[in-house]
Coordinates of all heavy atoms in Angstrom, one line a residue:
M1470 N -46.1 105.5 158.2 CA -45.2 106.5 157.6 C -44.1 106.9 158.7 O -44.5 107.2 159.8 CB -46.0 107.7 157.1 CG -45.1 108.7 156.3 SD -46.0 110.1 155.8 CE -46.0 111.1 157.3
Q1471 N -42.9 106.9 158.3 CA -41.8 107.4 159.1 C -41.8 108.9 159.3 O -41.9 109.6 158.3 CB -40.4 106.9 158.5 CG -39.3 107.0 159.5 CD -39.3 105.9 160.5 OE1 -39.7 104.8 160.2 NE2 -38.8 106.1 161.7
M1472 N -41.7 109.4 160.5 CA -41.7 110.9 160.7 C -40.3 111.3 160.5 O -39.4 110.7 161.0 CB -42.1 111.2 162.2 CG -43.6 110.9 162.5 SD -44.8 111.7 161.4 CE -44.5 113.4 161.9
P1473 N -40.1 112.4 159.7 CA -38.7 112.9 159.5 C -38.2 113.4 160.9 O -39.0 113.8 161.8 CB -38.9 114.1 158.6 CG -40.4 114.3 158.4 CD -41.1 113.2 159.0
A1474 N -36.9 113.4 161.0 CA -36.2 113.7 162.3 C -36.6 115.2 162.7 O -36.6 115.5 163.9 CB -34.7 113.6 162.2
D1475 N -36.8 116.0 161.7 CA -37.1 117.5 162.0 C -38.6 117.8 162.0 O -39.0 118.9 161.9 CB -36.3 118.4 161.1 CG -36.8 118.2 159.6 OD1 -37.5 117.2 159.3 OD2 -36.4 119.0 158.8
A1476 N -39.4 116.7 162.2 CA -40.9 116.9 162.2 C -41.2 117.9 163.4 O -40.6 117.8 164.4 CB -41.6 115.6 162.5
P1477 N -42.1 118.9 163.1 CA -42.4 119.9 164.1 C -43.1 119.2 165.3 O -43.9 118.3 165.1 CB -43.4 120.8 163.4 CG -43.9 120.1 162.2 CD -42.8 119.1 161.9
V1478 N -42.8 119.7 166.5 CA -43.5 119.2 167.7 C -44.9 119.7 167.7 O -45.1 120.9 167.5 CB -42.7 119.6 168.9 CG1 -43.5 119.2 170.2 CG2 -41.4 119.0 169.0
L1479 N -45.9 118.9 167.9 CA -47.2 119.3 167.8 C -47.6 119.7 169.3 O -47.4 119.0 170.2 CB -48.2 118.1 167.4 CG -47.8 117.6 166.0 CD1 -48.6 116.3 165.7 CD2 -48.1 118.7 164.9
I1480 N -48.2 120.9 169.3 CA -48.5 121.5 170.7 C -50.0 121.6 170.8 O -50.8 121.9 169.9 CB -47.9 122.9 170.8 CG1 -46.4 122.9 170.7 CG2 -48.3 123.6 172.1 CD1 -45.7 122.1 171.8
C1481 N -50.5 121.3 172.0 CA -51.9 121.3 172.4 C -52.6 122.7 172.0 O -51.9 123.7 172.2 CB -52.0 121.1 173.9 SG -53.7 121.2 174.5
S1482 N -53.8 122.6 171.4 CA -54.5 123.8 171.1 C -55.2 124.5 172.2 O -55.7 125.7 172.0 CB -55.6 123.5 170.0 OG -55.0 122.9 168.8
A1483 N -55.3 123.9 173.3 CA -56.0 124.5 174.5 C -55.3 125.9 174.9 O -54.0 126.0 174.8 CB -56.0 123.6 175.7
K1484 N -56.1 126.9 175.2 CA -55.6 128.2 175.5 C -54.5 128.1 176.7 O -54.8 127.6 177.7 CB -56.7 129.1 175.9 CG -56.3 130.6 175.9 CD -57.5 131.5 176.1 CE -57.0 132.9 175.9 NZ -57.8 133.9 176.6
G1485 N -53.3 128.6 176.4 CA -52.3 128.7 177.4 C -51.5 127.5 177.7 O -50.6 127.4 178.5
C1486 N -51.9 126.4 176.9 CA -51.2 125.1 177.1 C -50.1 124.9 176.2 O -50.2 125.2 175.0 CB -52.2 123.9 176.9 SG -51.5 122.3 177.3
R1487 N -48.9 124.5 176.7 CA -47.7 124.3 175.9 C -47.3 122.8 175.9 O -46.2 122.5 175.5 CB -46.6 125.1 176.4 CG -46.8 126.6 176.2 CD -46.3 127.1 174.8 NE -46.9 128.3 174.4 CZ -48.0 128.4 173.6 NH1 -48.6 127.3 173.2 NH2 -48.5 129.6 173.3
D1488 N -48.2 121.9 176.3 CA -47.9 120.5 176.3 C -47.9 119.9 174.9 O -48.5 120.5 174.0 CB -48.9 119.7 177.2 CG -48.7 120.0 178.6 OD1 -47.6 120.5 179.0 OD2 -49.5 119.6 179.4
V1489 N -47.2 118.8 174.7 CA -47.1 118.1 173.5 C -48.5 117.5 173.2 O -49.1 116.8 174.1 CB -46.0 117.1 173.5 CG1 -46.1 116.2 172.2 CG2 -44.7 117.7 173.6
A1490 N -49.0 117.7 172.0 CA -50.3 117.1 171.7 C -50.1 115.6 171.2 O -49.3 115.3 170.5 CB -51.0 117.9 170.5
V1491 N -51.0 114.8 171.7 CA -51.0 113.4 171.4 C -52.3 113.0 170.7 O -52.4 111.9 170.1 CB -50.7 112.5 172.6 CG1 -49.3 112.6 173.0 CG2 -51.7 112.7 173.7
H1492 N -53.3 113.9 170.7 CA -54.6 113.6 170.0 C -54.8 114.7 169.0 O -54.4 115.9 169.2 CB -55.7 113.5 171.0 CG -55.5 112.6 172.2 ND1 -55.5 111.3 172.0 CD2 -55.2 112.9 173.5 CE1 -55.2 110.7 173.2 NE2 -55.0 111.7 174.1
A1493 N -55.5 114.3 167.9 CA -56.0 115.3 167.0 C -57.5 115.2 166.9 O -58.1 114.1 166.5 CB -55.4 115.1 165.6
L1494 N -58.2 116.3 167.2 CA -59.7 116.3 167.1 C -60.1 116.8 165.7 O -59.6 117.9 165.4 CB -60.3 117.2 168.2 CG -60.4 116.6 169.6 CD1 -59.1 116.1 170.1 CD2 -61.0 117.7 170.5
L1495 N -60.8 116.0 165.0 CA -61.2 116.4 163.6 C -62.6 116.9 163.7 O -63.5 116.2 164.2 CB -61.2 115.2 162.7 CG -59.8 114.5 162.6 CD1 -59.9 113.4 161.6 CD2 -58.7 115.4 162.3
W1496 N -62.9 118.1 163.2 CA -64.2 118.8 163.4 C -64.6 119.5 162.1 O -63.8 119.8 161.2 CB -64.3 119.6 164.6 CG -63.3 120.8 164.6 CD1 -62.0 120.8 165.0 CD2 -63.6 122.2 164.2 NE1 -61.5 122.1 164.9 CE2 -62.5 122.9 164.4 CE3 -64.8 122.8 163.8 CZ2 -62.5 124.3 164.2 CZ3 -64.8 124.2 163.6 CH2 -63.6 124.9 163.7
N1497 N -65.9 119.8 162.1 CA -66.5 120.5 160.9 C -67.6 121.3 161.4 O -68.5 120.9 162.2 CB -67.0 119.4 159.9 CG -67.7 119.9 158.8 OD1 -68.9 120.3 158.9 ND2 -67.1 120.0 157.6
N1498 N -67.6 122.6 161.0 CA -68.8 123.5 161.2 C -69.6 123.6 160.0 O -69.2 124.2 159.1 CB -68.3 124.8 161.7 CG -69.4 125.8 162.0 OD1 -70.6 125.6 161.6 ND2 -69.1 126.9 162.6
P1499 N -70.8 122.9 160.0 CA -71.5 122.8 158.7 C -72.0 124.2 158.2 O -72.2 124.3 157.0 CB -72.8 122.0 159.2 CG -72.4 121.3 160.4 CD -71.4 122.2 161.1
S1500 N -72.0 125.2 159.0 CA -72.4 126.5 158.5 C -71.3 127.3 157.9 O -71.4 128.2 157.2 CB -73.0 127.3 159.6 OG -72.1 127.7 160.6
L1501 N -70.0 126.7 158.1 CA -68.8 127.4 157.5 C -68.1 126.5 156.5 O -67.5 127.0 155.5 CB -67.8 127.7 158.6 CG -68.2 128.8 159.6 CD1 -67.1 128.9 160.6 CD2 -68.5 130.1 158.9
H1502 N -68.2 125.2 156.7 CA -67.4 124.2 155.9 C -68.3 123.2 155.1 O -69.4 122.9 155.6 CB -66.5 123.4 156.8 CG -65.7 124.3 157.8 ND1 -65.8 124.1 159.1 CD2 -64.9 125.3 157.6 CE1 -65.0 125.0 159.7 NE2 -64.4 125.8 158.8
T1503 N -67.8 122.8 154.0 CA -68.5 121.7 153.3 C -68.3 120.4 154.1 O -67.4 120.3 155.0 CB -67.9 121.4 151.9 OG1 -66.5 121.3 152.0 CG2 -68.1 122.6 151.0
E1504 N -69.2 119.5 154.0 CA -69.3 118.3 154.9 C -68.0 117.5 154.9 O -67.7 116.9 156.0 CB -70.5 117.5 154.6 CG -70.7 116.2 155.5 CD -70.6 116.6 157.0 OE1 -71.2 117.6 157.4 OE2 -70.0 115.8 157.7
D1505 N -67.2 117.5 153.8 CA -66.0 116.6 153.8 C -64.8 117.4 154.3 O -63.7 116.8 154.5 CB -65.8 116.0 152.4 CG -65.6 117.2 151.4 OD1 -65.9 118.3 151.7 OD2 -65.2 116.8 150.2
R1506 N -65.0 118.6 154.7 CA -63.8 119.4 155.2 C -63.5 119.0 156.7 O -64.5 118.7 157.4 CB -64.2 120.9 155.2 CG -63.2 121.9 155.7 CD -62.1 122.2 154.6 NE -61.0 123.0 155.2 CZ -61.1 124.4 155.3 NH1 -62.1 125.0 154.9 NH2 -60.1 125.0 155.9
R1507 N -62.3 118.9 157.1 CA -61.9 118.6 158.4 C -61.0 119.6 159.0 O -59.9 119.8 158.5 CB -61.3 117.2 158.5 CG -62.2 116.0 158.3 CD -63.3 115.9 159.4 NE -64.3 114.9 159.1 CZ -65.4 115.1 158.5 NH1 -65.7 116.2 158.0 NH2 -66.2 114.0 158.3
K1508 N -61.4 120.3 160.0 CA -60.5 121.2 160.8 C -59.9 120.4 161.9 O -60.4 119.4 162.3 CB -61.3 122.4 161.3 CG -62.0 123.2 160.3 CD -61.0 124.0 159.4 CE -60.4 125.1 160.2 NZ -59.4 125.9 159.4
I1509 N -58.8 120.9 162.4 CA -58.0 120.1 163.4 C -57.8 120.9 164.7 O -57.4 122.1 164.6 CB -56.7 119.7 162.9 CG1 -56.9 118.7 161.7 CG2 -55.9 119.0 164.0 CD1 -55.6 118.4 161.0
W1510 N -58.0 120.3 165.8 CA -57.5 120.9 167.1 C -56.6 119.8 167.7 O -57.0 118.6 167.7 CB -58.7 121.1 168.1 CG -59.3 122.4 167.9 CD1 -59.0 123.5 167.0 CD2 -60.5 122.9 168.6 NE1 -59.9 124.5 167.2 CE2 -60.7 124.2 168.2 CE3 -61.2 122.4 169.7 CZ2 -61.8 125.0 168.7 CZ3 -62.2 123.1 170.2 CH2 -62.5 124.4 169.8
L1511 N -55.5 120.2 168.1 CA -54.6 119.3 168.7 C -54.8 119.3 170.2 O -55.1 120.4 170.8 CB -53.1 119.7 168.4 CG -52.8 119.7 166.9 CD1 -51.4 120.3 166.7 CD2 -52.8 118.2 166.4
A1512 N -54.7 118.2 170.9 CA -54.9 118.2 172.3 C -53.9 117.2 173.1 O -53.6 116.2 172.6 CB -56.3 117.6 172.6
C1513 N -53.4 117.7 174.2 CA -52.7 116.8 175.1 C -53.7 115.9 175.9 O -54.9 116.2 175.7 CB -51.9 117.7 176.1 SG -52.9 118.6 177.3
D1514 N -53.2 115.0 176.6 CA -54.1 114.1 177.4 C -55.0 114.9 178.3 O -56.2 114.5 178.4 CB -53.3 113.1 178.2 CG -53.2 111.8 177.5 OD1 -54.1 111.4 176.7 OD2 -52.2 111.1 177.7
E1515 N -54.5 115.9 178.9 CA -55.3 116.6 180.0 C -56.4 117.4 179.3 O -57.5 117.5 179.9 CB -54.4 117.6 180.7 CG -55.0 118.3 181.8 CD -54.1 119.4 182.4 OE1 -52.9 119.3 182.2 OE2 -54.6 120.3 183.1
H1516 N -56.3 117.9 178.1 CA -57.3 118.8 177.5 C -58.2 118.1 176.5 O -59.1 118.7 176.0 CB -56.6 120.0 176.9 CG -56.1 121.0 177.9 ND1 -54.7 121.2 178.0 CD2 -56.7 121.7 178.8 CE1 -54.6 122.1 179.0 NE2 -55.7 122.4 179.6
R1517 N -57.9 116.8 176.2 CA -58.6 116.2 175.1 C -60.2 116.2 175.4 O -60.9 116.6 174.6 CB -58.2 114.7 175.1 CG -59.1 113.9 174.1 CD -58.7 112.4 174.2 NE -59.7 111.7 173.4 CZ -59.5 110.4 173.0 NH1 -58.5 109.8 173.4 NH2 -60.4 109.8 172.3
E1518 N -60.5 115.8 176.7 CA -61.9 115.7 177.0 C -62.6 117.1 177.0 O -63.7 117.2 176.4 CB -62.0 115.2 178.4 CG -62.9 113.9 178.5 CD -62.8 113.4 179.9 OE1 -61.9 112.7 180.3 OE2 -63.8 113.6 180.7
H1519 N -61.9 118.1 177.4 CA -62.5 119.5 177.5 C -62.8 120.0 176.0 O -63.8 120.5 175.7 CB -61.5 120.4 178.2 CG -61.9 121.8 178.1 ND1 -62.9 122.4 179.0 CD2 -61.5 122.9 177.3 CE1 -63.1 123.6 178.6 NE2 -62.3 124.0 177.7
L1520 N -61.8 119.8 175.2 CA -61.9 120.2 173.8 C -63.0 119.4 173.0 O -63.7 119.9 172.3 CB -60.6 120.2 173.1 CG -59.5 121.2 173.6 CD1 -58.2 120.9 173.0 CD2 -59.9 122.6 173.4
E1521 N -63.0 118.1 173.3 CA -64.0 117.2 172.6 C -65.4 117.7 173.0 O -66.3 117.7 172.2 CB -63.8 115.7 173.0 CG -62.7 115.1 172.2 CD -62.6 113.6 172.6 OE1 -63.1 113.2 173.6 OE2 -62.0 112.8 171.8
E1522 N -65.6 117.9 174.3 CA -66.9 118.3 174.8 C -67.3 119.6 174.2 O -68.5 119.8 173.8 CB -66.8 118.5 176.4 CG -68.2 118.7 177.0 CD -69.1 117.5 176.8 OE1 -68.7 116.4 176.4 OE2 -70.3 117.6 177.1
F1523 N -66.4 120.6 174.1 CA -66.7 121.9 173.4 C -67.3 121.7 172.0 O -68.3 122.2 171.6 CB -65.4 122.7 173.4 CG -65.7 124.1 172.8 CD1 -65.9 125.2 173.6 CD2 -65.6 124.3 171.5 CE1 -66.1 126.5 173.1 CE2 -65.8 125.6 170.9 CZ -66.0 126.6 171.7
L1524 N -66.6 120.8 171.3 CA -67.0 120.6 169.9 C -68.3 119.7 169.8 O -69.1 119.9 169.0 CB -65.9 119.8 169.1 CG -64.6 120.7 168.9 CD1 -63.5 119.8 168.4 CD2 -64.9 121.9 167.9
R1525 N -68.4 118.7 170.7 CA -69.5 117.8 170.7 C -70.8 118.6 171.0 O -71.9 118.4 170.4 CB -69.3 116.7 171.7 CG -70.3 115.6 171.6 CD -70.0 114.5 172.6 NE -68.8 113.8 172.3 CZ -67.8 113.6 173.2 NH1 -67.8 114.2 174.4 NH2 -66.7 113.0 172.8
L1526 N -70.7 119.5 172.0 CA -71.9 120.3 172.3 C -72.5 121.1 171.2 O -73.7 121.4 171.1 CB -71.6 121.3 173.5 CG -71.5 120.7 174.8 CD1 -70.9 121.7 175.9 CD2 -72.8 120.2 175.3
R1527 N -71.6 121.5 170.3 CA -72.0 122.3 169.1 C -72.3 121.4 167.9 O -72.6 122.0 166.8 CB -70.9 123.3 168.8 CG -70.8 124.4 169.8 CD -69.5 125.1 169.9 NE -69.5 126.2 170.9 CZ -69.4 126.0 172.2 NH1 -69.2 124.7 172.6 NH2 -69.4 126.9 173.1
G1528 N -72.1 120.1 168.0 CA -72.3 119.2 166.9 C -71.2 119.2 165.9 O -71.4 118.8 164.7
F1529 N -70.0 119.7 166.2 CA -68.9 119.8 165.3 C -68.0 118.6 165.3 O -67.3 118.5 164.3 CB -68.1 121.1 165.6 CG -68.8 122.4 165.5 CD1 -68.2 123.6 165.9 CD2 -70.1 122.4 164.9 CE1 -68.8 124.8 165.7 CE2 -70.7 123.7 164.7 CZ -70.1 124.9 165.2
L1530 N -67.9 117.9 166.4 CA -66.9 116.8 166.5 C -67.2 115.7 165.5 O -68.3 115.1 165.5 CB -66.8 116.3 167.9 CG -65.7 115.3 168.2 CD1 -64.3 115.9 168.0 CD2 -65.8 114.7 169.6
R1531 N -66.2 115.3 164.7 CA -66.3 114.2 163.8 C -65.6 113.0 164.2 O -66.0 111.9 164.1 CB -65.9 114.6 162.4 CG -66.8 115.7 161.8 CD -68.3 115.2 161.6 NE -69.1 116.2 161.0 CZ -69.8 117.1 161.7 NH1 -69.8 117.1 163.0 NH2 -70.6 118.0 161.1
D1532 N -64.3 113.2 164.7 CA -63.5 112.1 165.0 C -62.3 112.6 165.9 O -61.9 113.7 165.8 CB -62.9 111.4 163.8 CG -62.5 109.9 164.0 OD1 -62.7 109.4 165.1 OD2 -62.0 109.4 163.0
T1533 N -61.7 111.6 166.7 CA -60.5 111.9 167.3 C -59.4 110.9 167.0 O -59.7 109.7 167.0 CB -60.7 111.9 168.9 OG1 -61.6 112.9 169.2 CG2 -59.4 112.2 169.6
V1534 N -58.3 111.3 166.5 CA -57.3 110.3 166.0 C -55.9 110.7 166.7 O -55.8 111.7 167.4 CB -57.1 110.4 164.5 CG1 -58.4 110.1 163.8 CG2 -56.6 111.8 164.0
D1535 N -55.0 109.8 166.5 CA -53.6 110.0 167.0 C -53.1 111.3 166.3 O -53.3 111.5 165.2 CB -52.7 108.8 166.7 CG -51.3 108.9 167.3 OD1 -50.5 109.6 166.7 OD2 -51.2 108.4 168.4
A1536 N -52.3 112.1 167.1 CA -51.8 113.3 166.5 C -50.9 113.1 165.3 O -50.7 114.0 164.5 CB -51.0 114.1 167.6
H1537 N -50.3 111.9 165.2 CA -49.5 111.7 164.0 C -50.2 110.9 162.9 O -49.6 110.4 162.0 CB -48.2 110.9 164.4 CG -47.3 111.8 165.2 ND1 -46.6 112.9 164.7 CD2 -46.9 111.8 166.5 CE1 -45.9 113.5 165.6 NE2 -46.1 112.9 166.8
A1538 N -51.5 110.8 163.1 CA -52.3 110.0 162.1 C -53.4 111.0 161.5 O -54.5 110.5 161.1 CB -53.0 108.8 162.8
I1539 N -53.1 112.2 161.4 CA -54.0 113.2 160.8 C -54.2 112.9 159.3 O -53.2 112.8 158.7 CB -53.5 114.6 161.1 CG1 -53.5 115.0 162.6 CG2 -54.4 115.6 160.3 CD1 -52.7 116.3 162.9
P1540 N -55.4 112.8 158.9 CA -55.6 112.4 157.5 C -55.1 113.5 156.5 O -55.1 114.7 156.9 CB -57.1 112.3 157.4 CG -57.7 112.5 158.7 CD -56.7 112.9 159.6
D1541 N -54.7 113.2 155.3 CA -54.2 114.1 154.3 C -55.4 115.0 154.0 O -56.5 114.7 154.0 CB -53.9 113.3 153.0 CG -52.5 112.7 153.2 OD1 -51.8 112.9 154.2 OD2 -52.2 111.8 152.4
G1542 N -55.1 116.3 153.8 CA -56.1 117.3 153.4 C -56.8 117.9 154.6 O -57.6 118.9 154.4
A1543 N -56.6 117.4 155.8 CA -57.3 118.0 157.0 C -56.5 119.3 157.4 O -55.3 119.3 157.2 CB -57.4 117.0 158.1
G1544 N -57.2 120.2 158.0 CA -56.5 121.4 158.5 C -57.2 122.6 158.3 O -58.3 122.7 157.8
Ligands
ZN3030 ZN1 -53.2 120.8 176.8

């Protein structure tokens, strides 16, 4: 899919980070969300591992995709 010229710049979700996000972490908290729900954290290269580890430790991490390949309905 072609990105429109005015597509918003995606910014890393890490606290205090203003870098452009290149990864999207898809996660789900089973105590809050139905199993097919996907929440998104955006991450720059530097913070991807840290954010993935945070979610993985809690059993929330489902997938990591390209920031421009976020599935429809996630968020
Ligand atoms: Zn970052």
Side-chain angles (χ1 to χ4, degrees):
M1470 188 183 79
Q1471 194 77 32
M1472 297 300 292
D1475 60 350
V1478 175
L1479 301 172
I1480 300 297
C1481 178
S1482 300
K1484 197 174 184 203
C1486 183
R1487 290 276 159 263
D1488 286 348
V1489 173
V1491 288
H1492 308 287
L1494 282 53
L1495 306 180
W1496 63 276
N1497 173 285
N1498 178 347
S1500 66
L1501 295 178
H1502 311 122
T1503 54
E1504 181 49 43
D1505 58 350
R1506 180 84 185 275
R1507 288 295 176 271
K1508 299 294 288 180
I1509 296 169
W1510 274 359
L1511 298 169
C1513 66
D1514 262 332
E1515 188 186 337
H1516 289 115
R1517 173 189 176 166
E1518 236 173 280
H1519 174 78
L1520 294 172
E1521 279 185 344
E1522 189 63 12
F1523 182 95
L1524 292 169
R1525 192 178 291 122
L1526 284 172
R1527 288 157 181 79
F1529 295 172
L1530 186 63
R1531 295 296 180 269
D1532 204 2
T1533 301
V1534 299
D1535 186 278
H1537 291 292
I1539 296 169
D1541 287 344

